[in-house]
Structures are given as structure tokens and as C-alpha cells.
Amino acid sequence: MIRIVLFAISALTLASTAASPAAAQVDPVARAMAAKALSVATAPTTMKTTIVGGEQPDTPAVSGASGTIGNSPIQVNGSAANDTGYLAFKYGADGKGVTNYWVKTRSPAMNGYAAVQNGDRIVVDLWQAGTGGQTGHVGGSRVTVDNAVFSAGEVAGRWALFTGTGVASSQVSKQYPVRYGTMNAIVANSYQQVIFPGGVNPALPSAGSNFGGWVVIGAGAASPGFGALKFLRSGAALLATPEAGAFEVDANARPYFTAADGVRRGVMLAETSDPSVSVLPGAGAGATVTIDANGNTGVVLLTTGPGPGSGPGSGPGSRPGAGLGAGDLFTVTYAHAYPSASYPVISAANAAAVALVRNGYLTATKTGFTVSVPIGPGDGPGAALPAGSYAITFNAPGA
């Protein structure tokens, strides 16, 4: 029996040697399809591949051809509903040109269209490079669903571009506190609002929320929270070491700029609402006061009344015709109080006010300032200055 088997093998060998070379050739199309089948068979079980199209593998491209290679050439199914999705390619000579479709669906079945949810990730592209022993982050992009409310065929989306930080999450330095290997450079939401930079992954506003600003400076909206340019106060901190050219805000949204000399200086914010003014008893009975201002800069016009000490012989220390008594004359109240204090400066805007500015004083707080005239030696409650109109300019910065 052993001899028969050996003879059979020998005969088969001779027959094979004598066969025509053409009969031993392998069809290249069949070979490509077999390789594809082997690849699918050894892929993870979560991968299902279906190829639909008119062109065979390894065949030349047809000039001017158009069409779609199936609805779902590649679909990835996972154990959870939010793991599902598929990739479709579109090629052709129509108005869209060459197009790739990355489709997210919560359906576990091929070509299913189960509704997605707010925050679902559609696709993440990761770009990495060799570091010698392994690969490290260079950057990537990510697209997610940005709103739970959508109509058929239209879904609000969010896009992020991120770059590698060059450090691992366990490393800490002055420039990079704790990072996660990548950091968002640009994040755009469904409102077309953009964050520069987008923050550390995954420290971003929740899906479906607006960022409070637009990338186009000057564009606004009727709804609150939509500003032309807006800094996020949460977690805002000034640089440990000021850097020339840096524009920063702190956690209270107070702005700072560091000039070429490396000194950080606070940016003064001009008040856009006008202050109010009120007359006080020291100005005399019947006194009036008006204000003309642009923000916390302007002029006050005080017209004194006859006062308790006016007229001849009206009281100890009184002067004939005097009307401006010693004491508090008027108070200017800012439309918006400063965070901590104000530092007003006053000056005379007419001849009569020279004596008032020279002899008077002011008391300032974060909410406003009061102009007063002290009681001098020999002066009673009667007037220290003659009756008349006093124009006083003021400039009241604050901190």
C-alpha cells in the first residue's frame, strides 16, 4: 500500500511538470477577491464589510465615470448602540466632486438609520508619528452631534481640530500644566461660534451649548450669550510670568495687556452709561445741580441757593449776600460701581469755581464721589463762598 501511494505522488509530479504554463496562471481578479476575503475573515468580529460596485478590483479607472459605490461599503458594528456607524464613498464628475461620507447611526443593522443623540461622535481622525519606540500624537480632528433636536436629514454638528502637546499626561511643566497628549486648537459648534484655543481635552462646553462668541469680530445676535468676542471666565488665570504681547483676562474677566517691556498692565474699561448727580444741604436752600457727562467724565453745574446765612446780620460769621454754605455740596453717583474704588479728579470750568476747587475737597468711594467745603476759622453755618453758579469738570477712573 505504501508503494502505491508513492507511485501516485510521483505520477502527479510528472503530470504537473508536463502541464502547460498557461494553465498554472492565477486570475488577478480572483486573487484580489481572495485576498479581500482573507482580510475580512481575520478582522475583528465587530467589522462587517460589504463591497458594492460595478468595477472589479485592480481594473483601471474609467475617465469621466460617476456614481456611488454602494450605500455602505464599510460598516462598523459594536456591542453598544452608540458604537455603530458606516463609511460611504462617493466618486464622480458631478457638482460635489470626490466626496467621502462618514455616517453615524445607532442602528446595529447594515444601512440602518436609528436616531443619534446629542454628543455622539461621528468620526475621529487621529494623526500620529513614530517616536522611536512607539507612536505619539501629532494631531487630529473630531466631529460630534451638537444638538439633540434635529429634522430628518439635518443634524447640528460640532467640529474640533486638536494638536499634540508634545508631553504625556503625567508630565508637568510651566508651559504645559497637565495635558492629555492632545489639546484642542479650534472648536466650532453648530452656531458657527469658535473657541481659540479650544481648551484641554475634554474640558469643553457641553454638547449643544453655545460658546458665547463669534469668530467674526463685530457680529452679534439678539439673544444673550452671543458676543462678538468672549473670554471664558471659568478657570481663567494670568500667566505665572508676564509675556510681552500677551492679552489676558483673570477669573473676574478683568483684561490685561503686557507691553514690550514685559510689564503686565490693567486695561481701563470706559463707562458707557452716564452718572447721576444730587444736591446736598451745604449748597443752600433752593440750590440746583445738573450734570453733562459721557461715562464717568463730564461737568457739573451747581447753582447755589440763598442759604441759611444769607443777607446782612443773619448770624454769627455770616457775610452779606453769601449763599454757599460750608458742608457737602453735591454727590455724583456712577451708573455702575467699580469693583473696589474710584479716583476722581475735579477742576474749575468757570471763574467762580476756582475758589470752590481751591478751598473744597472731595470724598470718593467705588460708587461715586461727594464735593464739600470745610468750615473755616471764624465761619459759622453761614456761607463760605458767594452765591452763584459753579461749573466743575470731573474725571473719575476706578479699579
Side-chain angles (χ1 to χ4, degrees):
M1 179 62 67
I2 294 177
R3 293 178 181 176
I4 295 175
V5 171
L6 291 175
F7 177 79
I9 294 175
S10 177
L12 181 61
T13 303
L14 292 174
S16 178
T17 303
S20 171
Q25 292 180 353
V26 178
D27 181 5
V29 173
R31 174 180 294 178
M33 295 181 67
K36 184 66 178 178
L38 180 61
S39 175
V40 174
T42 57
T45 56
T46 57
M47 174 70 75
K48 297 180 180 180
T49 304
T50 302
I51 301 298
V52 180
E55 295 185 11
Q56 296 297 322
D58 296 333
T59 58
V62 179
S63 177
S66 63
T68 301
I69 308 177
N71 291 325
S72 58
I74 301 176
Q75 176 162 339
V76 180
N77 293 336
S79 58
N82 60 0
D83 290 336
T84 63
Y86 60 85
L87 164 66
F89 301 88
K90 180 180 177 62
Y91 72 100
D94 59 13
K96 290 184 178 180
V98 180
T99 306
N100 291 337
Y101 291 97
W102 301 86
V103 184
K104 167 68 181 178
T105 172
R106 279 180 171 260
S107 172
M110 294 288 283
N111 300 327
Y113 300 103
V116 296
Q117 297 181 14
N118 190 22
D120 277 5
R121 293 190 177 188
I122 304 301
V123 64
V124 179
D125 286 331
L126 299 177
W127 310 318
Q128 295 191 338
T131 60
Q134 58 186 30
T135 59
H137 294 97
V138 175
S141 64
R142 179 177 59 253
V143 178
T144 58
V145 179
D146 201 43
N147 199 312
V149 179
F150 51 88
S151 60
E154 295 298 332
V155 181
R158 178 182 296 198
W159 172 85
L161 174 68
F162 47 91
T163 59
T165 61
V167 296
S169 60
S170 60
Q171 293 178 309
V172 178
S173 67
K174 180 183 296 185
Q175 185 175 6
Y176 298 106
V178 177
R179 298 306 191 216
Y180 297 85
T182 63
M183 182 176 181
N184 291 305
I186 305 173
V187 179
N189 64 6
S190 56
Y191 301 104
Q192 297 298 293
Q193 298 169 319
V194 180
I195 291 181
F196 299 99
V200 180
N201 292 344
L204 289 171
S206 59
S209 62
N210 74 70
F211 298 159
W214 300 85
V215 65
V216 179
I217 306 299
S223 301
F226 291 78
L229 180 65
K230 185 174 182 180
F231 290 87
L232 298 180
R233 294 192 305 111
S234 178
L238 300 178
L239 293 170
T241 302
E243 296 180 9
F247 181 59
E248 310 169 77
V249 295
D250 60 18
N252 293 317
R254 288 178 296 211
Y256 301 85
F257 182 77
T258 303
D261 59 5
V263 177
R264 178 190 291 123
R265 296 176 175 88
V267 177
M268 182 180 297
L269 299 178
E271 176 62 69
T272 57
S273 300
D274 298 336
S276 61
V277 66
S278 57
V279 68
L280 298 177
T288 60
V289 65
T290 60
I291 188 170
D292 181 13
N294 181 11
N296 288 342
T297 300
V299 60
V300 172
L301 180 61
L302 173 67
T303 302
T304 64
S310 63
S314 60
S318 62
R319 295 174 182 154
L324 188 59
D328 300 332
L329 306 181
F330 63 86
T331 293
V332 172
T333 303
Y334 311 133
H336 303 102
Y338 287 107
S340 57
S342 66
Y343 312 101
V345 177
I346 63 173
S347 60
N350 65 0
V354 172
L356 189 156
V357 173
R358 180 182 299 150
N359 298 317
Y361 66 97
L362 59 82
T363 304
T365 66
K366 65 180 181 180
T367 60
F369 65 91
T370 299
V371 175
S372 308
V373 175
I375 299 176
D379 288 332
L385 295 171
S389 294
Y390 298 83
I392 303 99
T393 60
F394 68 92
N395 183 26

